[in-house]
Amino acid sequence: MNKMKCTRCKAEAFIKLESHNTKFCDDCFDLFFLNAVKKALKSFGFTQPDDSVTLVTAVSGGKDSLAAWDALRRLGYKTVGLHLDLGNDDFTAASIKAIEDFADPRGLEYRLFSLKDLFGYTLPQIDRLTRRDTCAVCGSLKRGLLNRAAKDAGGDIIVTGHHLDDEAGRLLGNLVRNRTEYLDRFYPYLPSAHPNQAGRMKPLYRVDQIEIRHYCRIHGIKPAGGDCPFSKGATSRYFQESLHWLEDKMPGTKRDFLFTYLAKRKPPEGPLDFGSCQTCGQPTWGDSCGVCNLRARLDAKVEKLGGLPDLSLDRREIGKLIKESRS
Ligand code: AMP
Ligand code: ZN
């Protein structure tokens, strides 16, 4: 069988990128990947590392956030990792192990926070106590709590591992539903818009999942495997899958779709006209933020139950117990 040749240096190639019409050996792929991250940072106004800025990298232990962290440190940025332990038993243990195995040999600093300590409940407990989609609830808790933790860690910018597939899928979802309130602020870099809010950046928005997986492979990064037991509701996946279908028929479509949309936009400018939560000081449009509202609702349910929920019961059974306690 003929070996593939690197488009750039003619050595043996190990990855074929249809959307770029190129094949790369591992060294040239590495350059391509770091350039994509550099280009993303440049579009956010970060042209070179600045020691006065700490990029707080939110790490789940999955491939995306570990790759983002690795690329930033290799480009010379000052980083600190931040993990929110969701109290998800084996899944959490595997996530923390992957973070330690990545960060320790590279001498990287990281902090572990727990949802139980910061919020009072673990994710399995929250899952039993609410009727809402656990994945969506977890997403908004992570946003709020990682913001608090990042500010506490002295960081002004939070980095997440969201990539091209995530962002293109989210853009499609927002356009299909004409969610103008999200589309107005759709950008992979959002500067802080409130004194208690860290900026947010997604330095991997120019690379896709396949490229991230290859980056991890060539750098010996071993992410935690497996899906979160409360993994995403189907809808965001449908939008990503429909783009994969288009990409398969017309390589490059996914990038064109996202990049042409972003090309006409600039990072949104702060500050926004937010208020501050009366309980925790976090930015909010109302008197109380989403995190504190949820906490109050869960506390009320636990009071009715006379204690924390028994995790061997499912949410329907727990809902029934809460209802009975009202009568
Ligand atoms: P997900 O919503 O699971 O697709 O995760 C999106 C991004 O959020 C990841 O790439 C991470 O940067 C960050 N993230 C997810 N889960 C955690 C966690 N438990 N602790 C810290 N950061 C997280
Ligand atoms: Zn609050």
Side-chain angles (χ1 to χ4, degrees), residues 67-93:
W69 195 5
D70 193 59
L72 291 174
R73 77 157 183 108
R74 289 182 62 215
L75 291 171
Y77 285 86
K78 195 167 136 195
T79 61
V80 55
L82 200 67
H83 177 71
L84 185 64
D85 164 354
L86 302 168
N88 238 339
D89 299 333
D90 292 352
F91 183 78
T92 290

Side-chain angles (χ1 to χ4, degrees), residues 245-261:
W245 187 87
L246 286 171
E247 180 71 23
D248 193 44
K249 308 282 171 212
M250 298 178 288
T253 303
K254 216 166 44 184
R255 296 168 57 232
D256 281 352
F257 172 59
L258 181 66
F259 294 179
T260 52
Y261 185 84

